[in-house]
Amino acid sequence: GAVVSQHPSRVICKSGTSVKIECRSLDFQATTMFWYRQFPKQSLMLMATSNEGSKATYEQGVEKDKFLINHASLTLSTLTVTSAHPEDSSFYICSAGRHGQPQHFGDGTRLSIL
Amino acid sequence: EDKVVQSPLSLVVHEGDTVTLNCSYEVTNFRSLLWYKQEKKAPTFLFMLTSSGIEKKSGRLSSILDKKELFSILNITATQTGDSAVYLCAVGIQGAQKLVFGQGTRLTINP
């Protein structure tokens, strides 16, 4: 079945640090990937849609300069949380899927900003 | 605004019981409804439904969609402790590949 790999799984860093999270589709080409954020005991909230070769589409209220998305190839999208602060601490999950097929999720990245 | 509502938000039952989880939606251009199971990490795919009245089954789990009533249910029979998880319902929108998620139902199966 489809496999999506996300790395790293856990990040702990100081306030002001920029953090890069990678999302790879391992056995299929994904023209579109999605980035979600999940707070404890809450559902997934879509942050942005990552489009290969073009700019990402951000959901309302998500700062594009804060959460930089790059989709350089058909198998890799990256999310960079720039100058992270404690309020950015959260669980970040990516997903990918072929058109008409269900999205499959990476294992998520738990980000803790001290 | 597209909306997906799940109920109950939390459910605690004993091993062996049967449970029914509910998902209702209001979206502008429905494409599909998906069920996911989330344990400690990211959600794992269970079912994708696009047509009304056709039940999908996988072992003890089954799901069905009613596009007239804008509703889906997920049934789990003979529950086991390994079924304990958050079950997420999501709706796919026509013309956009994104999913709109419900709040999830936290299911706890006690031995």
Side-chain angles (χ1 to χ4, degrees), chain B:
Chain B
E1 184 188 339
D2 296 327
K3 193 166 61 173
V4 178
V5 177
Q6 290 184 247
S7 65
L9 294 181
S10 181
L11 184 59
V12 181
V13 300
H14 289 294
E15 209 168 15
D17 289 350
T18 293
V19 297
T20 299
L21 309 183
N22 306 297
C23 177
S24 63
Y25 61 92
E26 287 180 38
V27 300
T28 47
N29 286 299
F30 176 89
R31 185 183 78 231
S32 57
L33 186 144
L34 297 90
W35 285 96
Y36 288 89
K37 177 183 181 181
Q38 185 177 25
E39 296 174 88
K40 290 182 180 174
K41 291 189 176 180
T44 53
F45 170 73
L46 295 175
F47 298 109
M48 183 167 80
L49 305 157
T50 54
S51 302
S52 277
I54 300 173
E55 186 182 50
K56 293 219 171 178
K57 287 196 72 154
S58 177
R60 296 177 293 103
L61 278 68
S62 64
S63 183
I64 196 162
L65 173 67
D66 184 336
K67 288 168 76 171
K68 185 180 174 186
E69 297 296 325
L70 310 184
F71 194 82
S72 175
I73 58 173
L74 174 68
N75 277 321
I76 309 176
T77 59
T79 52
Q80 302 170 359
T81 54
D83 295 326
S84 295
V86 174
Y87 289 83
L88 295 166
C89 172
V91 172
I93 310 297
Q94 284 282 6
Q97 289 188 52
K98 70 178 186 180
L99 297 176
V100 179
F101 278 86
Q103 324 93 301
T105 294
R106 184 172 296 275
L107 177 64
T108 303
I109 311 297
N110 287 328

Side-chain angles (χ1 to χ4, degrees), chain A residues 6 8-13 19 21 35-47 67 79 81 84-93 107-114, chain B residues 38:
Chain A
Q6 189 172 339
S9 58
R10 187 81 162 97
V11 179
I12 303 172
C13 57
V19 178
I21 304 169
W35 288 97
Y36 296 84
R37 186 172 179 175
Q38 187 176 34
F39 290 105
K41 298 192 177 181
Q42 293 190 26
S43 190
L44 277 72
M45 192 178 73
L46 180 65
M47 297 174 65
F67 299 99
L79 168 69
V81 183
H85 292 288
E87 59 266 28
D88 299 321
S89 298
S90 191
F91 190 54
Y92 293 87
I93 312 175
D107 279 341
T109 298
R110 191 161 300 283
L111 177 61
S112 300
I113 308 297
L114 306 176
Chain B
Q38 185 177 25

Side-chain angles (χ1 to χ4, degrees), chain A residues 1-6 23-30 33 74-76 96:
Chain A
V3 177
V4 176
S5 170
Q6 189 172 339
C23 180
R24 294 180 185 272
S25 58
L26 297 183
D27 58 355
F28 66 99
Q29 293 183 330
M33 292 186 178
L74 286 170
T75 58
L76 174 64

